[in-house]
Amino acid sequence: MTPVPEVDLTDPEVLRDPFTTYGRARERAPLARLLIPGLGPIWALTRHDGARSMLADARFELTADSFMRPQVPDDCLPYMRTMSEMSGPEHARLRRLVAPAFTPRRAAEFRPRIEALVEALLDDLPDNLPDNLPVQADGGRVDLLRHFARPLPMDVICALVGIPEQDRPRWREWGATVAAGAGQDFARAIPGIMAGAADAVAAARAGHSDKPGGVPGELLGELVRVQAEDGDRLSDTEIVTLVWHLVIAGQTPTNLIANAVVALLSRPAQLAAVRADPALMPGAVEELIRWCGPTLLAIPRHARQDVELHGVTVPEGAKVTALIAAANRDPRVFDDPDRLEVTRAPGAGHLGFAHGPHFCLGASLARVQTQVAIAALLRRFPGLALAVPADELRAPDPGTWRLTALPVTL
């Protein structure tokens, strides 16, 4: 049996370059142990086939213990159990209610609305100079993370769900707090997020859900209609929980867009290719998700029973994850996997949006957002360039590949 490699997630090398460190573990063995001080080990599938299989295996389930929950007031506790923590019929019931709003067809239909939101944000960029970056705020320099990549997903998901337009500024603030990571600020924001979701549900019930800026068939209106027709399908607690969870979870494209901008601006040949042929954009976005997607580790599952993985018995209750960053660069699946190639032909498929029952619900929407955002940036700003080396602005996070800021010159 091949020895199981161990990876200390506090190792500076992991934080500096997780792709290389996780890749070494993948080439040593198909199974690794991730060490987190104070939390115990987590088993990790390192290769594409094993990771993909585990994510779809009913013997491993997401539970409340899969997530790091902040302390919240007692009145918020009923709304903390989201669809992500559910499995089996309970998860499937709620997912069926919201899935029609997130299909590839629905995302394509929503593209004009996304394009309008993108253009509006880009129109404002010259006036949004940074005030706290390690560069001088002049010469058209702007923090694209703060003023574009972060607000865009919130604007998009609020429009899709049906959050009243007058309430969207405060949702932007909550989204920025959540995007900054768990902590006291996140915990303090939760009561407001819950109240905001309840207010949006009440507005939809009263028939005032964003008529001027919304779109026909917005999700919140549909959920209210479903509940009115058959209250047994969706409780009051469930509808409020769905709203806040979908809106906050809809922030996934923030880090994807920022990472994609850095990747392209750092590689002139790849940048030139997508500038020269806009038809490459859908495939280029898939390659960017594979190569620099924000998800480095899948949310840990728990073994429902003793399970043998590659000759090792993983005991019931143990945490198991997938090393997405390693699987998406597995040479057994992808040719020359450490190279970004925007013309790469579709292959076995990346795991950037996970796999199985908990495949990212908003994957199609995230794809379209990223395509539109990158295309618009490249079209409107031919001289777009990084103002600071991206490595200086990376967050030390072994689970998410993300930036703390993205200063660029326009």
Side-chain angles (χ1 to χ4, degrees):
M1 183 180 67
T2 304
V4 176
E6 294 186 340
V7 181
D8 181 352
L9 296 191
T10 64
D11 186 333
E13 283 302 301
V14 174
L15 302 177
R16 184 186 67 82
D17 184 3
F19 297 97
T20 296
T21 307
Y22 294 158
R24 288 179 186 142
R26 178 195 63 228
E27 295 311 304
R28 287 180 58 191
L31 185 69
R33 277 163 50 102
L34 308 182
L35 306 180
I36 308 175
L39 294 179
I42 298 177
W43 297 97
L45 281 303
T46 65
R47 297 175 183 171
H48 190 279
D49 60 347
R52 190 174 189 274
S53 295
M54 186 279 290
L55 292 171
D57 192 332
R59 295 176 298 174
F60 303 98
E61 64 177 350
L62 289 171
T63 70
D65 291 336
S66 298
F67 303 86
M68 296 181 66
R69 280 186 168 183
Q71 294 293 320
V72 299
D74 289 346
D75 61 327
C76 292
L77 290 175
Y79 306 106
M80 290 298 291
R81 186 169 181 265
T82 69
M83 186 169 58
S84 293
E85 301 176 12
M86 302 173 186
S87 60
E90 186 180 25
H91 173 264
R93 173 178 62 86
L94 291 178
R95 190 171 178 112
R96 279 195 298 268
L97 288 174
V98 297
F102 294 95
T103 62
R105 180 181 64 81
R106 185 71 182 90
E109 291 173 351
F110 206 64
R111 181 182 285 263
R113 179 64 170 150
I114 295 172
E115 291 172 342
L117 293 169
V118 164
E119 296 297 332
L121 286 170
L122 294 182
D123 285 344
D124 288 341
L125 281 184
D127 298 323
N128 283 335
L129 296 178
D131 54 18
N132 62 348
L133 295 178
V135 293
Q136 187 176 352
D138 60 13
R141 293 181 178 182
V142 61
D143 181 1
L144 274 186
L145 179 63
R146 177 181 175 186
H147 297 296
F148 182 63
R150 188 169 286 160
L152 175 62
M154 180 58 77
D155 289 354
V156 170
I157 195 67
C158 280
L160 180 68
V161 170
I163 299 297
E165 192 155 356
Q166 66 270 18
D167 294 337
R168 293 179 190 175
R170 61 174 176 164
W171 279 97
R172 269 196 187 185
E173 294 177 7
W174 292 327
T177 300
V178 172
Q184 292 184 348
D185 289 343
F186 177 42
R188 284 193 288 266
I190 286 179
I193 291 171
M194 306 292 188
D199 289 346
V201 172
R205 285 180 176 145
H208 303 300
S209 59
D210 194 21
K211 290 292 194 304
V215 292
E218 59 192 14
L219 177 58
L220 186 49
E222 177 63 16
L223 292 176
V224 167
R225 183 191 65 77
V226 166
Q227 189 188 40
E229 291 178 356
D230 183 359
D232 291 337
R233 293 180 64 191
L234 190 63
S235 70
D236 287 346
T237 298
E238 286 174 335
I239 192 171
V240 171
T241 303
L242 274 174
V243 169
W244 84 256
H245 182 233
L246 288 172
V247 172
I248 296 301
Q251 305 319 294
T252 297
T254 290
N255 294 319
L256 174 57
I257 292 169
N259 290 347
V261 169
V262 169
L264 291 174
L265 295 185
S266 303
R267 290 162 181 78
Q270 302 302 307
L271 178 62
V274 292
R275 281 191 186 278
D277 185 1
L280 290 177
M281 190 58 69
V285 166
E286 293 307 302
E287 172 70 349
L288 288 160
I289 297 168
R290 180 196 73 83
W291 194 81
C292 61
T295 302
L296 301 174
L297 304 174
I299 298 170
R301 275 69 172 161
H302 289 80
R304 302 179 65 183
Q305 62 192 65
D306 290 353
V307 181
E308 184 174 316
L309 293 175
H310 302 287
V312 176
T313 299
V314 174
E316 179 181 356
K319 288 185 177 181
V320 183
T321 188
L323 270 177
I324 302 297
N328 279 347
R329 297 194 184 190
D330 189 345
R332 297 156 190 80
V333 176
F334 305 100
D335 293 333
D336 196 5
D338 290 321
R339 175 176 54 86
L340 176 68
E341 180 51 71
V342 296
T343 60
R344 187 184 296 272
H350 60 75
L351 299 176
F353 293 121
H355 181 65
H358 287 275
F359 178 79
C360 178
L361 184 67
S364 295
L365 191 64
R367 287 178 164 116
V368 172
Q369 277 187 77
T370 306
Q371 293 168 21
V372 172
I374 300 300
L377 277 169
L378 299 186
R379 172 177 50 81
R380 292 188 53 163
F381 304 109
L384 187 68
L386 297 175
V388 174
D391 289 345
E392 297 179 13
L393 299 169
R394 282 285 167 198
D397 187 338
T400 305
W401 189 239
R402 60 189 177 91
L403 298 167
T404 57
L406 179 50
V408 298
T409 56
L410 302 178

